[in-house]
Amino acid sequence: MTLRTIAPAAAVLAFASLLGAAGPANIQPPGPMPPADNQKLAHDIFRDLVQVRSVHDIGTKGTADVIVRYLKANGFTDADIHVAPETKYPNQVNVVVRIKGKGKGKAVMWICHMDVVDAKKADWTPGLDPYKFTVKDGYWYGRGTSDMKDEDAAVAASLIRLKKEGYVPDRDIVVAFTADEEVGLEQDGPQFLVQHRKDLVGDVGLVMNPDGGSGEIKNGKRVDFAIETVQKTYMTFKAETTNKGGHSSEPRPDNAIYQLADGLVKLAAYQFPYKTNATTRAYFASRAQQSSGQHKADLLAASKEPLDNAVAARLAKDTSMNAILHTTCVATMLKAGVQENALPSSADATIQCRVFPGESAAQTQATLQKVMGDPGIKVSLLEPVQPAPETVPDPKVMTTVAGVVHDMWGKDVPVMPVMMAGASDSIFTRAAGIPSYGVGGGWWDVDDIRAHGRDERNNPSNFYQTTEFTYRLMKALGTAS
Ligand SMILES: [Zn+2]
C-alpha cells in the first residue's frame, strides 16, 4: 500500500501503511498458531520472498516464481495456477490461483501485492541487509517483512494447507498475488486483472485485502482490530506563480515567491468542511465504547447525522481524527528561482491532498484556487486520480471477520470499520464494483512504524498468528452464509 495504514485510533494514517507497518510486539498470551509443518512452510515462503528485490523498476517476476514454485510443490497444478504478466509491462507479473468450490455464491478473492518500496543497505543498521532475511533479537528483519510479504506468505501457506486438507469451499477461493502497488496506477496488478483478465477474476464478488486494516497495539496492549472499508482519495496538485523576474539588486513589490507564499499561508489556515460516512460513523460509535466523559459524548454525537461542527472541531484536535473528518491538503514541496542574484521568474508548490470520498478532483482544485485567493496563482492537478466508492460495511462480512478475531484473540477485542487516509489496491477493486475489505492478520505496535522505512521487521509469533488467522478467515468466508 502506499503505506499500509491502520485505523486512526492510534494516529497512524500514512499508509499506508503504514498499517501493519509498525513493529510487532510479543503480546502474551499469543493467539493460536498453525501446525508445525505449516509454520515451516510459511516461514520458508516468507524468507524466499523477502530475499527478492521486487521493486517497481525490476518488477515481480522473481517473487511470482517463488509463489508458483511453492504452490506446485504442494499440490497445485497448471490448471489451478495462472501466471499473468501485464501486456504493456511484462516485468510486472501477477499470479492468480484458485481453489474450486461448490458454486454456492460468487468467488471471494485475496489480493496480495508482491512488490516493495526500495531500500538501501547503507541506510539500514550495519549487519541488516534489506534483501536478506535476518534473524536478530527475536525479530525477522528485511524489506517487506511488514508491508506485505508477511501477508503474501501467510496467504500462500494457508491456501496450501486448505489444498492439502482437500477442503472444498462452498464458493471458490481465489488469490491474486499482484504487481506494482507501491507506485500504483498504470502498472498496478489488480487494476490490470479487473480490467484485462476478467477470465481469471470476473466472477469475484468479494475482496479481502490484507494490505489494510489489522490489529493495533498501544503500550503493549491490544487496542482494537480495524477493518478498512473506505479510503480517502489521493490527489496531488501544483500551485504556481510566474513573474517577469529581473536583477536582484532592484527588487519590486511583485515577486513570484512572495505571491505564492501569500496563497500558501491562506491555505494553511483553511479547514475543509467536516464530514462523516457510514464507515466513520460506525468507527466513532465503536470508539465511544472505549471512551469516557466529553470525548465519549463527542464520539457518540459524531456517529450520528447531521454532524455537529463544534463536535467535529473538538475531535479534530487529535491529528489522526482530523484526518478522517474531512479532506486535508498540505504543501509538501517548493521550487522557485534559478539563481541567487536573479528575481524569481516562477515559483511552484506541491500540494498533497487526501480527499474525503465522494469529493471530486475538480471540486478540490476549485476550492484550492478560491482559498489561495489570487488568480495569479495557477492551481493544476499533477497526476490522474483514481477515485473509489466506499464499501458500506456489510454486517455479514463484519460479523464473520469479528468472529475469527474473537476466536483468535478474545471476545473483548473491539472490531471496527475504518477509513484509511492512505491508499491501497482496494481502490481498483472497489472502482470495479467489488466490495473490498482491508483485513490483515497482524498486530502492530503503532508507536514503532517501520513500513517503507529502515530496519523493517516482524516477529515469528505475530507472523504465525497472522497465518493461522488467514487460514481460519479463508474457511469462514469460503463457507456460504
Ligand atoms: Zn503495502
Side-chain angles (χ1 to χ4, degrees):
M1 156 183 333
T2 315
L3 277 195
R4 193 160 54 172
T5 332
I6 300 178
V12 178
L13 288 184
F15 92 149
S17 204
L18 315 190
L19 171 175
N26 238 330
I27 298 282
Q28 297 306 322
M33 300 184 193
D37 64 332
N38 192 252
Q39 287 189 23
K40 167 98 177 56
L41 174 71
H43 164 273
D44 295 354
I45 298 172
F46 192 13
R47 175 202 57 211
D48 292 358
L49 287 173
V50 166
Q51 299 189 153
V52 177
R53 183 166 166 255
S54 52
V55 296
H56 172 73
D57 299 339
I58 293 174
T60 51
K61 170 100 178 47
T63 41
D65 291 347
V66 169
I67 292 286
V68 170
R69 176 161 50 84
Y70 277 97
L71 290 173
K72 285 199 169 162
N74 291 282
F76 287 88
T77 64
D78 288 335
D80 307 317
I81 304 169
H82 299 272
V83 177
E86 293 172 25
T87 325
K88 281 196 329 194
Y89 311 99
N91 63 328
Q92 302 295 8
V93 179
N94 305 280
V95 178
V96 179
V97 55
R98 184 179 286 250
I99 291 185
K100 288 291 296 158
K102 300 173 188 140
K104 293 185 188 153
K106 297 188 87 176
V108 55
M109 175 166 77
W110 268 255
I111 54 174
C112 302
H113 75 81
M114 298 182 286
D115 62 307
V116 291
V117 165
D118 206 358
K120 290 199 196 73
K121 191 174 178 193
D123 297 340
W124 283 37
T125 298
L128 292 179
D129 175 336
Y131 297 107
K132 286 271 173 304
F133 193 77
T134 308
V135 182
K136 183 170 169 265
D137 312 329
Y139 285 96
W140 291 337
Y141 286 85
R143 175 49 92 229
T145 48
S146 69
D147 184 7
M148 63 170 284
K149 289 181 173 178
D150 55 326
E151 295 280 359
D152 298 339
V155 168
S158 298
L159 205 62
I160 288 168
R161 187 173 163 192
L162 292 172
K163 185 77 172 177
K164 285 191 169 160
E165 290 173 359
Y167 171 68
V168 181
D170 290 334
R171 54 171 162 185
D172 289 12
I173 294 177
V174 180
V175 176
F177 296 96
T178 57
D180 205 50
E181 186 274 346
E182 296 295 0
V183 172
L185 294 186
E186 76 272 10
Q187 301 186 24
D188 184 89
Q191 176 174 239
F192 168 76
L193 293 174
V194 294
Q195 289 181 357
H196 305 291
R197 294 305 307 265
K198 290 191 172 63
D199 58 313
L200 298 178
V201 301
D203 65 334
V204 168
L206 174 66
V207 161
M208 288 291 126
N209 181 359
D211 196 22
S214 67
E216 296 191 297
I217 291 165
K218 182 107 181 137
N219 307 327
K221 291 216 167 16
R222 296 187 202 284
V223 177
D224 57 41
F225 192 96
I227 300 172
E228 179 265 313
T229 52
V230 64
Q231 293 167 17
K232 294 172 87 177
T233 308
Y234 187 99
M235 295 183 197
T236 305
F237 297 88
K238 182 162 78 168
E240 63 187 316
T241 53
T242 55
N243 183 283
K244 68 178 180 186
H247 203 284
S248 67
S249 66
E250 295 188 355
R252 300 183 309 273
D254 58 295
N255 177 292
I257 293 175
Y258 296 161
Q259 186 180 10
L260 180 61
D262 285 349
L264 292 175
V265 168
K266 291 181 191 129
L267 177 62
Y270 177 73
Q271 292 291 334
F272 280 79
Y274 293 122
K275 283 183 177 178
T276 61
N277 56 30
T279 294
T280 57
R281 287 191 292 277
Y283 171 76
F284 292 136
S286 180
R287 288 302 312 278
Q289 305 314 315
Q290 300 146 47
S291 306
S292 58
Q294 180 65 54
H295 192 54
K296 181 183 181 90
D298 287 343
L299 287 165
L300 279 175
S303 72
K304 301 190 180 66
E305 291 185 284
L307 177 62
D308 176 322
N309 266 339
V311 165
R314 271 198 301 276
L315 289 173
K317 289 203 176 75
D318 171 281
T319 314
S320 60
M321 287 284 183
N322 177 58
I324 64 164
L325 275 162
H326 55 175
T327 290
T328 57
C329 285
V330 62
T332 54
M333 297 161 70
L334 270 181
K335 258 197 339 272
V338 289
Q339 203 162 312
E340 70 179 60
N341 62 353
L343 299 174
S345 53
S346 71
D348 74 62
T350 300
I351 298 170
Q352 215 297 296
C353 298
R354 306 290 171 135
V355 175
F356 202 90
E359 291 174 16
S360 71
Q363 263 177 299
T364 309
Q365 182 170 334
T367 301
L368 290 174
Q369 192 68 65
K370 188 162 137 270
V371 166
M372 297 179 94
D374 176 351
I377 300 176
K378 204 162 87 22
V379 178
S380 58
L381 185 64
L382 264 186
E383 301 144 355
V385 167
Q386 173 64 60
E390 176 184 18
T391 291
V392 174
D394 174 342
K396 264 197 297 187
V397 176
M398 297 298 286
T399 308
T400 303
V401 177
V404 179
V405 170
H406 291 153
D407 286 351
M408 293 271 306
W409 297 294
K411 300 236 171 317
D412 53 3
V413 172
V415 176
M416 62 185 73
V418 297
M419 175 162 77
M420 212 157 85
S424 79
D425 280 332
S426 298
I427 56 175
F428 300 108
T429 50
R430 285 181 183 135
I434 310 170
S436 306
Y437 294 77
V439 180
W443 284 81
W444 305 99
D445 182 330
V446 294
D447 298 318
D448 181 21
I449 306 286
R450 294 180 181 226
H452 297 202
R454 56 197 299 272
D455 300 354
E456 189 182 355
R457 66 184 187 182
N458 200 333
N459 78 51
S461 168
N462 184 59
F463 171 66
Y464 293 135
Q465 292 175 65
T466 300
T467 308
E468 179 65 18
F469 172 82
T470 306
Y471 164 80
R472 291 181 181 207
L473 187 61
M474 279 181 171
K475 270 193 153 171
L477 289 171
T479 310
S481 53

